Amino acid sequence: MGLDEVAQKPHDRLSAWLAADMEAVNQMIRDRMASEHAPRIPQVTAHLVEAGGKRLRPLLTLAAARLCGYDGPYHIHLAATVEFIHTATLLHDDVVDESAQRRGRPTANLLWDNKSSVLVGDYLFARSFQLMTETGSMRVMNILANASATIAEGEVLQLTAAQDLATTEAIYLQVVRGKTAALFSAATEVGGVIAGSDEAQVQALYTYGDALGIAFQIVDDLLDYGGTTAVIGKNTGDDFRERKLTLPVIKAVAQADADERAFWQRTIAKGDQRDGDLEQALAIMARHGAMEAARADALGWAAKAKVALAVLPDHPIRAMLADLADYVVARIN
Amino acid sequence: MGLDEVAQKPHDRLSAWLAADMEAVNQMIRDRMASEHAPRIPQVTAHLVEAGGKRLRPLLTLAAARLCGYDGPYHIHLAATVEFIHTATLLHDDVVDESAQRRGRPTANLLWDNKSSVLVGDYLFARSFQLMTETGSMRVMNILANASATIAEGEVLQLTAAQDLATTEAIYLQVVRGKTAALFSAATEVGGVIAGSDEAQVQALYTYGDALGIAFQIVDDLLDYGGTTAVIGKNTGDDFRERKLTLPVIKAVAQADADERAFWQRTIAKGDQRDGDLEQALAIMARHGAMEAARADALGWAAKAKVALAVLPDHPIRAMLADLADYVVARIN
């Protein structure tokens, strides 16, 4: 292996290894996005689907299927299914969060309107549903139905947990499964199922995707506070302003003294935020080592993901998946 | 048959005949609406699901299954599935249309917020997806996946068709299939499929549901202009104000002279509406017999629905379904 290959990110190495499959997935996405009757649909979705997203979820499905020796056509359908579900949730999130930017482009919400975001999201869900039925596998349908329920439940739970200082780490974990890990684990699990792998391997793929997704989301939440350096960057503090109870805040709240508790009460529970509050929040979290503790949790989940891979075939893809778990948490060095 | 029974509406007769099944459906809806992790979900859905809606769609599924001699448990799952899909689309419509009232109660949108409406709608879609997988029937999944795509596509099409005077009757029909008929036809078709009926009967159930749904929606659209009497009631004119191209308007636009065309251009295309415009619209539609022509179309679809029933078993439910088709269009006498 040359230096170039070593230096490449594991995600890029997976993309390169699975390039032909990925091209088939992209083609299927383009085909199934089209609507004979409603040309607005590809207009709304194109800038999301074509925006050069990392395509991490479909890559996971392709990787799982190929790692398990699959040689049929349906991993392509399932990878496209997973990307459609992801894109649909992004569209619905845009309505929900009134977020102004996604992947660096104007959101569908601003480019179009709430109506289009909701309905085109529904259209993509329906398309994903059609794609998965084409596999003819009831087990795949079951996995994706359960993942859909976990995703929706987690999103609703996130609404009710926001601004609530009583939010526990257990609730945070359910929210994170809904936001990220449920689709990661479904993506890897269906890859193993379509390949006809044995139960231990299918379970391992589920565990890998679940743990990878949780690590990924904890890191995302840490990066929203500038990682562990507690330096405020230009994209820092969105979660604080939106009064989200993410892991570092939950850990800091759990150890808060009376003054700190009053601070969280005012800024998160009541939403009365002033200049300097974000810096103050970072200082409180640093005082309790909340960022380091959250990072340790992320490392633990990444380790769990790698351990799960042991029962899977010894294969270059397996090594890349292990590296991917390391890479996901390395973002917060 | 006593006078009471003759006088009863066919929908009520179906409800009475299928009372035990309907109770099982209601119980399943209550059970599956619940969310261990997100108690807001039943709070949002309860006032919709419990609001005493007519439960027409689950009744159609139960009726189709029983008419075809089904004796298993899964027609209950499918009826609950269909009602969940219907309720989810109502929730998403509330976001979309900013409609202030639905079924005479405050909408979820006003009681809660856009976020809850979108996400709880997604949750009900996911729940319906889980329910249908429990039947173990890939064919049922296929039918419902295709119906979901038609519904979503029709909703998006309705967005783009609104305010567009070039909207044709063919486009209107696609919108109506999305809004109403696709779920009606899926509701009846899956009833036949789960009962293991032969292809001719399954096709007949599809055709009945499709034609009934189209007749139902044309009548709804007519009633929005006060039916064929052109008398303005308290709920008249919503579609006009929302600049929707419904069938009577499409028919009137197709026959418009220059002055009338300018009127439609100003009120529907540009949205510049003044006092007296609704009365003027009604007068123009009356001049061209647009309401009567739309009513004739509705009667045609009801007749098509009844004809389709011929290949189905001779059974009291079949007679009630035939009466239901008549009743749907009798609303505009």
Side-chain angles (χ1 to χ4, degrees), chain A residues 180-218:
Chain A
T180 309
L183 194 52
F184 275 48
S185 59
T188 45
E189 189 179 5
V190 297
V193 166
I194 204 72
S197 296
D198 66 36
E199 280 313 303
Q201 295 192 336
V202 168
Q203 179 60 43
L205 285 165
Y206 169 88
T207 301
Y208 172 82
D210 182 59
L212 182 76
I214 293 169
F216 183 93
Q217 189 59 51
I218 292 175

mmCIF file of all heavy atoms in Angstrom, chain A residues 180-218:
data_model
loop_
_atom_site.group_PDB
_atom_site.id
_atom_site.type_symbol
_atom_site.label_atom_id
_atom_site.label_comp_id
_atom_site.label_asym_id
_atom_site.label_seq_id
_atom_site.Cartn_x
_atom_site.Cartn_y
_atom_site.Cartn_z
ATOM 1 N N THR A 180 -29.466 9.645 13.864
ATOM 2 C CA THR A 180 -28.314 9.164 13.095
ATOM 3 C C THR A 180 -28.168 7.645 13.097
ATOM 4 O O THR A 180 -28.084 7.019 12.047
ATOM 5 C CB THR A 180 -27.004 9.776 13.661
ATOM 6 O OG1 THR A 180 -27.183 11.186 13.764
ATOM 7 C CG2 THR A 180 -25.828 9.472 12.761
ATOM 8 N N ALA A 181 -28.134 7.060 14.297
ATOM 9 C CA ALA A 181 -27.669 5.672 14.385
ATOM 10 C C ALA A 181 -28.666 4.673 13.796
ATOM 11 O O ALA A 181 -28.255 3.635 13.269
ATOM 12 C CB ALA A 181 -27.351 5.309 15.839
ATOM 13 N N ALA A 182 -29.976 4.967 13.869
ATOM 14 C CA ALA A 182 -30.952 3.993 13.358
ATOM 15 C C ALA A 182 -30.787 3.788 11.858
ATOM 16 O O ALA A 182 -30.917 2.661 11.357
ATOM 17 C CB ALA A 182 -32.382 4.439 13.675
ATOM 18 N N LEU A 183 -30.487 4.848 11.137
ATOM 19 C CA LEU A 183 -30.316 4.679 9.686
ATOM 20 C C LEU A 183 -28.944 4.068 9.368
ATOM 21 O O LEU A 183 -28.827 3.268 8.429
ATOM 22 C CB LEU A 183 -30.520 6.011 8.957
ATOM 23 C CG LEU A 183 -30.695 5.911 7.431
ATOM 24 C CD1 LEU A 183 -31.785 4.920 7.040
ATOM 25 C CD2 LEU A 183 -30.991 7.273 6.824
ATOM 26 N N PHE A 184 -27.911 4.410 10.150
ATOM 27 C CA PHE A 184 -26.606 3.755 9.977
ATOM 28 C C PHE A 184 -26.735 2.237 10.186
ATOM 29 O O PHE A 184 -26.259 1.453 9.384
ATOM 30 C CB PHE A 184 -25.586 4.310 10.990
ATOM 31 C CG PHE A 184 -24.868 5.565 10.571
ATOM 32 C CD1 PHE A 184 -25.548 6.650 10.053
ATOM 33 C CD2 PHE A 184 -23.486 5.670 10.703
ATOM 34 C CE1 PHE A 184 -24.885 7.821 9.684
ATOM 35 C CE2 PHE A 184 -22.802 6.835 10.336
ATOM 36 C CZ PHE A 184 -23.506 7.899 9.834
ATOM 37 N N SER A 185 -27.382 1.854 11.283
ATOM 38 C CA SER A 185 -27.456 0.413 11.594
ATOM 39 C C SER A 185 -28.359 -0.324 10.610
ATOM 40 O O SER A 185 -28.074 -1.467 10.244
ATOM 41 C CB SER A 185 -27.912 0.193 13.039
ATOM 42 O OG SER A 185 -29.177 0.770 13.258
ATOM 43 N N ALA A 186 -29.439 0.338 10.167
ATOM 44 C CA ALA A 186 -30.276 -0.306 9.146
ATOM 45 C C ALA A 186 -29.484 -0.447 7.850
ATOM 46 O O ALA A 186 -29.592 -1.470 7.158
ATOM 47 C CB ALA A 186 -31.553 0.500 8.919
ATOM 48 N N ALA A 187 -28.689 0.575 7.524
ATOM 49 C CA ALA A 187 -27.908 0.542 6.283
ATOM 50 C C ALA A 187 -26.957 -0.646 6.259
ATOM 51 O O ALA A 187 -26.857 -1.363 5.257
ATOM 52 C CB ALA A 187 -27.115 1.849 6.123
ATOM 53 N N THR A 188 -26.255 -0.878 7.378
ATOM 54 C CA THR A 188 -25.312 -2.001 7.401
ATOM 55 C C THR A 188 -26.062 -3.344 7.520
ATOM 56 O O THR A 188 -25.714 -4.312 6.848
ATOM 57 C CB THR A 188 -24.310 -1.854 8.573
ATOM 58 O OG1 THR A 188 -25.016 -1.480 9.758
ATOM 59 C CG2 THR A 188 -23.274 -0.783 8.256
ATOM 60 N N GLU A 189 -27.112 -3.361 8.358
ATOM 61 C CA GLU A 189 -27.832 -4.624 8.581
ATOM 62 C C GLU A 189 -28.460 -5.153 7.284
ATOM 63 O O GLU A 189 -28.343 -6.340 6.981
ATOM 64 C CB GLU A 189 -28.905 -4.445 9.667
ATOM 65 C CG GLU A 189 -29.534 -5.763 10.104
ATOM 66 C CD GLU A 189 -30.583 -5.584 11.205
ATOM 67 O OE1 GLU A 189 -30.887 -4.427 11.559
ATOM 68 O OE2 GLU A 189 -31.086 -6.615 11.692
ATOM 69 N N VAL A 190 -29.134 -4.295 6.529
ATOM 70 C CA VAL A 190 -29.780 -4.791 5.300
ATOM 71 C C VAL A 190 -28.745 -5.268 4.286
ATOM 72 O O VAL A 190 -29.042 -6.179 3.489
ATOM 73 C CB VAL A 190 -30.737 -3.752 4.653
ATOM 74 C CG1 VAL A 190 -31.892 -3.433 5.589
ATOM 75 C CG2 VAL A 190 -30.015 -2.484 4.208
ATOM 76 N N GLY A 191 -27.537 -4.692 4.325
ATOM 77 C CA GLY A 191 -26.482 -5.196 3.454
ATOM 78 C C GLY A 191 -26.161 -6.646 3.764
ATOM 79 O O GLY A 191 -26.010 -7.468 2.860
ATOM 80 N N GLY A 192 -26.093 -6.975 5.061
ATOM 81 C CA GLY A 192 -25.833 -8.363 5.453
ATOM 82 C C GLY A 192 -27.007 -9.283 5.159
ATOM 83 O O GLY A 192 -26.829 -10.423 4.726
ATOM 84 N N VAL A 193 -28.219 -8.774 5.368
ATOM 85 C CA VAL A 193 -29.417 -9.591 5.134
ATOM 86 C C VAL A 193 -29.552 -9.938 3.655
ATOM 87 O O VAL A 193 -29.812 -11.088 3.292
ATOM 88 C CB VAL A 193 -30.684 -8.852 5.639
ATOM 89 C CG1 VAL A 193 -31.947 -9.516 5.106
ATOM 90 C CG2 VAL A 193 -30.699 -8.820 7.169
ATOM 91 N N ILE A 194 -29.347 -8.943 2.788
ATOM 92 C CA ILE A 194 -29.519 -9.203 1.349
ATOM 93 C C ILE A 194 -28.444 -10.170 0.855
ATOM 94 O O ILE A 194 -28.659 -10.932 -0.097
ATOM 95 C CB ILE A 194 -29.513 -7.878 0.539
ATOM 96 C CG1 ILE A 194 -30.260 -8.051 -0.779
ATOM 97 C CG2 ILE A 194 -28.109 -7.361 0.260
ATOM 98 C CD1 ILE A 194 -31.742 -8.167 -0.635
ATOM 99 N N ALA A 195 -27.289 -10.175 1.559
ATOM 100 C CA ALA A 195 -26.215 -11.103 1.189
ATOM 101 C C ALA A 195 -26.450 -12.505 1.750
ATOM 102 O O ALA A 195 -25.696 -13.425 1.466
ATOM 103 C CB ALA A 195 -24.872 -10.563 1.690
ATOM 104 N N GLY A 196 -27.501 -12.661 2.566
ATOM 105 C CA GLY A 196 -27.783 -13.979 3.124
ATOM 106 C C GLY A 196 -26.801 -14.405 4.204
ATOM 107 O O GLY A 196 -26.596 -15.607 4.422
ATOM 108 N N SER A 197 -26.206 -13.448 4.886
ATOM 109 C CA SER A 197 -25.243 -13.786 5.946
ATOM 110 C C SER A 197 -25.920 -14.462 7.127
ATOM 111 O O SER A 197 -27.143 -14.355 7.297
ATOM 112 C CB SER A 197 -24.555 -12.509 6.434
ATOM 113 O OG SER A 197 -23.809 -11.945 5.403
ATOM 114 N N ASP A 198 -25.105 -15.114 7.956
ATOM 115 C CA ASP A 198 -25.687 -15.788 9.121
ATOM 116 C C ASP A 198 -26.040 -14.762 10.199
ATOM 117 O O ASP A 198 -25.624 -13.604 10.128
ATOM 118 C CB ASP A 198 -24.758 -16.885 9.642
ATOM 119 C CG ASP A 198 -23.454 -16.348 10.218
ATOM 120 O OD1 ASP A 198 -23.464 -15.268 10.845
ATOM 121 O OD2 ASP A 198 -22.418 -17.022 10.029
ATOM 122 N N GLU A 199 -26.793 -15.211 11.203
ATOM 123 C CA GLU A 199 -27.338 -14.291 12.214
ATOM 124 C C GLU A 199 -26.259 -13.523 12.960
ATOM 125 O O GLU A 199 -26.412 -12.339 13.247
ATOM 126 C CB GLU A 199 -28.195 -15.062 13.225
ATOM 127 C CG GLU A 199 -29.577 -15.372 12.723
ATOM 128 C CD GLU A 199 -30.265 -14.176 12.085
ATOM 129 O OE1 GLU A 199 -30.411 -13.134 12.757
ATOM 130 O OE2 GLU A 199 -30.643 -14.268 10.909
ATOM 131 N N ALA A 200 -25.157 -14.201 13.275
ATOM 132 C CA ALA A 200 -24.093 -13.541 14.039
ATOM 133 C C ALA A 200 -23.510 -12.380 13.229
ATOM 134 O O ALA A 200 -23.215 -11.307 13.776
ATOM 135 C CB ALA A 200 -23.001 -14.550 14.390
ATOM 136 N N GLN A 201 -23.358 -12.590 11.950
ATOM 137 C CA GLN A 201 -22.792 -11.531 11.103
ATOM 138 C C GLN A 201 -23.783 -10.383 10.919
ATOM 139 O O GLN A 201 -23.399 -9.208 10.933
ATOM 140 C CB GLN A 201 -22.365 -12.117 9.759
ATOM 141 C CG GLN A 201 -21.210 -13.122 9.920
ATOM 142 C CD GLN A 201 -20.568 -13.510 8.617
ATOM 143 O OE1 GLN A 201 -21.180 -13.431 7.554
ATOM 144 N NE2 GLN A 201 -19.308 -13.951 8.684
ATOM 145 N N VAL A 202 -25.056 -10.731 10.744
ATOM 146 C CA VAL A 202 -26.070 -9.683 10.588
ATOM 147 C C VAL A 202 -26.126 -8.843 11.866
ATOM 148 O O VAL A 202 -26.169 -7.601 11.809
ATOM 149 C CB VAL A 202 -27.453 -10.301 10.268
ATOM 150 C CG1 VAL A 202 -28.557 -9.262 10.401
ATOM 151 C CG2 VAL A 202 -27.452 -10.916 8.868
ATOM 152 N N GLN A 203 -26.098 -9.511 13.004
ATOM 153 C CA GLN A 203 -26.112 -8.811 14.286
ATOM 154 C C GLN A 203 -24.875 -7.921 14.430
ATOM 155 O O GLN A 203 -24.965 -6.777 14.904
ATOM 156 C CB GLN A 203 -26.180 -9.835 15.428
ATOM 157 C CG GLN A 203 -26.184 -9.207 16.821
ATOM 158 C CD GLN A 203 -27.369 -8.271 17.036
ATOM 159 O OE1 GLN A 203 -28.496 -8.577 16.663
ATOM 160 N NE2 GLN A 203 -27.111 -7.100 17.630
ATOM 161 N N ALA A 204 -23.734 -8.413 13.989
ATOM 162 C CA ALA A 204 -22.487 -7.637 14.058
ATOM 163 C C ALA A 204 -22.582 -6.382 13.188
ATOM 164 O O ALA A 204 -22.127 -5.301 13.575
ATOM 165 C CB ALA A 204 -21.312 -8.503 13.622
ATOM 166 N N LEU A 205 -23.180 -6.537 12.019
ATOM 167 C CA LEU A 205 -23.320 -5.383 11.126
ATOM 168 C C LEU A 205 -24.254 -4.341 11.744
ATOM 169 O O LEU A 205 -24.018 -3.137 11.651
ATOM 170 C CB LEU A 205 -23.839 -5.832 9.761
ATOM 171 C CG LEU A 205 -22.778 -6.526 8.900
ATOM 172 C CD1 LEU A 205 -23.419 -7.265 7.729
ATOM 173 C CD2 LEU A 205 -21.745 -5.510 8.405
ATOM 174 N N TYR A 206 -25.323 -4.827 12.381
ATOM 175 C CA TYR A 206 -26.212 -3.902 13.095
ATOM 176 C C TYR A 206 -25.424 -3.153 14.182
ATOM 177 O O TYR A 206 -25.498 -1.915 14.287
ATOM 178 C CB TYR A 206 -27.391 -4.658 13.721
ATOM 179 C CG TYR A 206 -28.155 -3.779 14.682
ATOM 180 C CD1 TYR A 206 -29.184 -2.972 14.235
ATOM 181 C CD2 TYR A 206 -27.795 -3.726 16.038
ATOM 182 C CE1 TYR A 206 -29.856 -2.123 15.100
ATOM 183 C CE2 TYR A 206 -28.457 -2.879 16.913
ATOM 184 C CZ TYR A 206 -29.483 -2.087 16.439
ATOM 185 O OH TYR A 206 -30.139 -1.243 17.295
ATOM 186 N N THR A 207 -24.694 -3.906 14.988
ATOM 187 C CA THR A 207 -23.956 -3.299 16.105
ATOM 188 C C THR A 207 -22.920 -2.299 15.601
ATOM 189 O O THR A 207 -22.761 -1.214 16.164
ATOM 190 C CB THR A 207 -23.269 -4.403 16.932
ATOM 191 O OG1 THR A 207 -24.277 -5.300 17.407
ATOM 192 C CG2 THR A 207 -22.531 -3.817 18.135
ATOM 193 N N TYR A 208 -22.223 -2.667 14.525
ATOM 194 C CA TYR A 208 -21.244 -1.747 13.947
ATOM 195 C C TYR A 208 -21.922 -0.438 13.529
ATOM 196 O O TYR A 208 -21.475 0.660 13.892
ATOM 197 C CB TYR A 208 -20.546 -2.385 12.730
ATOM 198 C CG TYR A 208 -19.659 -1.405 11.992
ATOM 199 C CD1 TYR A 208 -18.369 -1.131 12.420
ATOM 200 C CD2 TYR A 208 -20.137 -0.725 10.869
ATOM 201 C CE1 TYR A 208 -17.569 -0.205 11.760
ATOM 202 C CE2 TYR A 208 -19.349 0.208 10.195
ATOM 203 C CZ TYR A 208 -18.066 0.464 10.650
ATOM 204 O OH TYR A 208 -17.285 1.383 10.008
ATOM 205 N N GLY A 209 -23.021 -0.519 12.779
ATOM 206 C CA GLY A 209 -23.688 0.680 12.284
ATOM 207 C C GLY A 209 -24.245 1.524 13.428
ATOM 208 O O GLY A 209 -24.145 2.756 13.421
ATOM 209 N N ASP A 210 -24.813 0.852 14.409
ATOM 210 C CA ASP A 210 -25.373 1.555 15.577
ATOM 211 C C ASP A 210 -24.280 2.315 16.322
ATOM 212 O O ASP A 210 -24.415 3.515 16.606
ATOM 213 C CB ASP A 210 -26.033 0.517 16.495
ATOM 214 C CG ASP A 210 -26.691 1.134 17.718
ATOM 215 O OD1 ASP A 210 -27.590 1.973 17.551
ATOM 216 O OD2 ASP A 210 -26.304 0.760 18.841
ATOM 217 N N ALA A 211 -23.181 1.628 16.624
ATOM 218 C CA ALA A 211 -22.111 2.250 17.406
ATOM 219 C C ALA A 211 -21.409 3.343 16.598
ATOM 220 O O ALA A 211 -21.081 4.412 17.125
ATOM 221 C CB ALA A 211 -21.107 1.185 17.851
ATOM 222 N N LEU A 212 -21.202 3.089 15.309
ATOM 223 C CA LEU A 212 -20.591 4.107 14.449
ATOM 224 C C LEU A 212 -21.471 5.367 14.410
ATOM 225 O O LEU A 212 -20.976 6.490 14.508
ATOM 226 C CB LEU A 212 -20.412 3.554 13.031
ATOM 227 C CG LEU A 212 -19.726 4.496 12.035
ATOM 228 C CD1 LEU A 212 -18.222 4.547 12.291
ATOM 229 C CD2 LEU A 212 -20.003 4.071 10.587
ATOM 230 N N GLY A 213 -22.773 5.157 14.279
ATOM 231 C CA GLY A 213 -23.697 6.295 14.206
ATOM 232 C C GLY A 213 -23.705 7.099 15.494
ATOM 233 O O GLY A 213 -23.741 8.340 15.460
ATOM 234 N N ILE A 214 -23.664 6.408 16.611
ATOM 235 C CA ILE A 214 -23.662 7.116 17.897
ATOM 236 C C ILE A 214 -22.360 7.900 18.059
ATOM 237 O O ILE A 214 -22.369 9.084 18.427
ATOM 238 C CB ILE A 214 -23.870 6.119 19.064
ATOM 239 C CG1 ILE A 214 -25.286 5.534 18.997
ATOM 240 C CG2 ILE A 214 -23.655 6.824 20.409
ATOM 241 C CD1 ILE A 214 -25.518 4.355 19.925
ATOM 242 N N ALA A 215 -21.223 7.258 17.745
ATOM 243 C CA ALA A 215 -19.929 7.962 17.816
ATOM 244 C C ALA A 215 -19.959 9.196 16.912
ATOM 245 O O ALA A 215 -19.554 10.292 17.305
ATOM 246 C CB ALA A 215 -18.802 7.019 17.400
ATOM 247 N N PHE A 216 -20.444 9.009 15.720
ATOM 248 C CA PHE A 216 -20.520 10.084 14.727
ATOM 249 C C PHE A 216 -21.315 11.274 15.264
ATOM 250 O O PHE A 216 -20.898 12.422 15.165
ATOM 251 C CB PHE A 216 -21.178 9.510 13.468
ATOM 252 C CG PHE A 216 -21.274 10.447 12.307
ATOM 253 C CD1 PHE A 216 -20.272 10.473 11.338
ATOM 254 C CD2 PHE A 216 -22.365 11.287 12.137
ATOM 255 C CE1 PHE A 216 -20.355 11.327 10.248
ATOM 256 C CE2 PHE A 216 -22.455 12.141 11.056
ATOM 257 C CZ PHE A 216 -21.449 12.157 10.105
ATOM 258 N N GLN A 217 -22.452 10.995 15.881
ATOM 259 C CA GLN A 217 -23.328 12.080 16.337
ATOM 260 C C GLN A 217 -22.757 12.770 17.575
ATOM 261 O O GLN A 217 -22.862 13.995 17.705
ATOM 262 C CB GLN A 217 -24.738 11.542 16.608
ATOM 263 C CG GLN A 217 -25.757 12.649 16.872
ATOM 264 C CD GLN A 217 -25.861 13.620 15.706
ATOM 265 O OE1 GLN A 217 -26.032 13.211 14.569
ATOM 266 N NE2 GLN A 217 -25.737 14.914 15.990
ATOM 267 N N ILE A 218 -22.155 11.992 18.477
ATOM 268 C CA ILE A 218 -21.515 12.627 19.651
ATOM 269 C C ILE A 218 -20.429 13.592 19.171
ATOM 270 O O ILE A 218 -20.311 14.727 19.662
ATOM 271 C CB ILE A 218 -20.927 11.560 20.605
ATOM 272 C CG1 ILE A 218 -22.049 10.744 21.263
ATOM 273 C CG2 ILE A 218 -20.060 12.232 21.689
ATOM 274 C CD1 ILE A 218 -21.540 9.583 22.126
#
